Amino acid sequence: MNPDHLPSRFDGPPIAIDVRGLTKVFGNTIAVGNLFLQIPRGSFFGLVGPNGAGKTTLLSMVTGMLVPDDGVAYVGGIDIWDKPEEAKKLLGVLPDGYRLFDRMTGMALVEYMGMLRGLDKATARQRATELLAALGLSDTGKKLVADYSQGMTKKVALACALVHAPSILVLDEPFESVDPISAAGIQSILTEFVAAGGTVVLSSHVMETVEKLCDHVAILNHGQVLAAGTTEQVSAGKSLDERFRELVGGVEQTEGLDWLRQ
């Protein structure tokens, strides 16, 4: 697609998501602490960190699903908590562990989600049909989402995030439980989305996937940003995996477990 003729939904400020001092505390645990981060519009942005780094908490606050204790997040220049309806129109979200209306078929679910997002029934059905075909779910027929495998459920949830044609996609572990062929198809869809001017924010534990797909990356640990910038800048001449271990900490040496070495 010619960058000079991008859809109007991709217009807006050069920063797709602007996080300013977001903080969230659970009991005595600081999940995210006074975090600042800018995600450029039109970027494929990877968010990486160990378990408990604060990635899911951060994304939940940025997308309006979790109220921060302090700070603000702007989506397309709009304060997500001041004008949530306006900001959420720009977003397509795939949260980790997303609960779906699983007593519906995949087609009915995606069509329904499109209509909830303001599409007319005919447009929602057409888009649902095209999305399910692109994600390899056309042959599911009358099968309920409750009977889907984990990988199929992940794919239909992605279709729900895409159906209203958002300008910013926020995806928490989108490739988890997805087979390699389906993963390649999803990667193609996301790459084309970014090439057309959209923004993808991808949280993942798989460094190879992030390094392959993402042009920008941020490394989080203990609710703080350790490094952020282009993937090349953050990697600093090393593989992203090496750089990640350098910043977060190397593999712990194991002692004992002699009984496993029989």
Side-chain angles (χ1 to χ4, degrees):
M1 182 178 293
N2 187 334
D4 295 329
H5 297 86
L6 295 176
S8 59
R9 63 190 173 90
F10 292 127
D11 292 342
I15 302 300
I17 296 177
D18 190 359
V19 176
R20 303 182 186 179
L22 277 189
T23 299
K24 189 65 183 180
V25 180
F26 298 105
N28 295 322
T29 301
I30 300 175
V32 174
N34 194 32
L35 189 147
F36 288 79
L37 182 66
Q38 290 187 328
I39 298 175
R41 177 163 56 92
S43 65
F44 205 135
F45 198 101
L47 195 63
V48 299
N51 291 328
K55 302 186 300 298
T56 296
T57 301
L58 171 62
L59 295 182
S60 296
M61 290 190 288
V62 165
T63 55
M65 294 187 292
L66 182 65
V67 180
D69 294 326
D70 198 7
V72 64
Y74 294 96
V75 175
I78 303 167
D79 185 336
I80 186 71
W81 289 105
D82 184 45
K83 299 179 179 178
E85 291 186 9
E86 189 176 343
K88 289 180 181 181
K89 289 178 181 179
L90 305 175
L91 289 170
V93 184
L94 175 59
D96 189 30
Y98 188 40
R99 293 295 300 273
L100 300 171
F101 298 110
D102 60 5
R103 302 310 297 177
M104 305 172 75
T105 65
M107 175 63 73
L109 174 62
V110 179
E111 181 181 327
Y112 175 65
M113 294 303 292
M115 293 173 68
L116 282 181
R117 288 289 200 161
L119 301 179
D120 61 81
K121 186 176 182 66
T123 301
R125 177 165 296 180
Q126 178 187 353
R127 291 187 180 182
T129 301
E130 293 176 0
L131 282 166
L132 294 182
L135 292 166
L137 294 174
S138 293
D139 60 353
T140 55
K142 296 182 179 181
K143 189 173 185 178
L144 299 180
V145 173
D147 298 323
Y148 279 13
S149 67
Q150 284 186 312
M152 292 168 64
T153 302
K154 184 75 73 171
K155 289 192 289 184
V156 79
L158 177 60
C160 291
L162 288 165
V163 67
H164 62 293
S167 59
I168 303 169
L169 279 174
V170 179
L171 312 176
D172 199 349
E173 297 289 352
F175 301 108
E176 188 177 39
S177 304
V178 177
D179 66 84
I181 295 176
S182 296
I186 293 173
Q187 290 176 16
S188 178
I189 291 171
L190 298 181
T191 300
E192 291 175 7
F193 178 82
V194 172
T199 304
V200 172
V201 183
L202 167 70
S203 172
S204 177
H205 288 106
V206 184
M207 295 298 153
E208 293 83 357
T209 299
V210 173
E211 192 163 29
K212 174 184 175 183
L213 292 176
C214 298
D215 48 60
H216 286 70
V217 67
I219 298 177
L220 269 63
N221 197 26
H222 300 304
Q224 296 289 323
V225 176
L226 302 184
T230 66
T231 305
E232 183 178 355
Q233 289 171 339
V234 173
S235 298
K238 305 175 182 178
S239 72
L240 186 59
D241 184 61
E242 289 174 321
R243 183 64 171 147
F244 175 83
R245 286 187 279 111
E246 180 180 279
L247 290 171
V248 173
V251 178
E252 295 183 3
Q253 297 297 318
T254 58
E255 297 181 3
L257 302 181
D258 293 337
W259 49 273
L260 283 177
R261 306 186 184 99
Q262 297 180 13

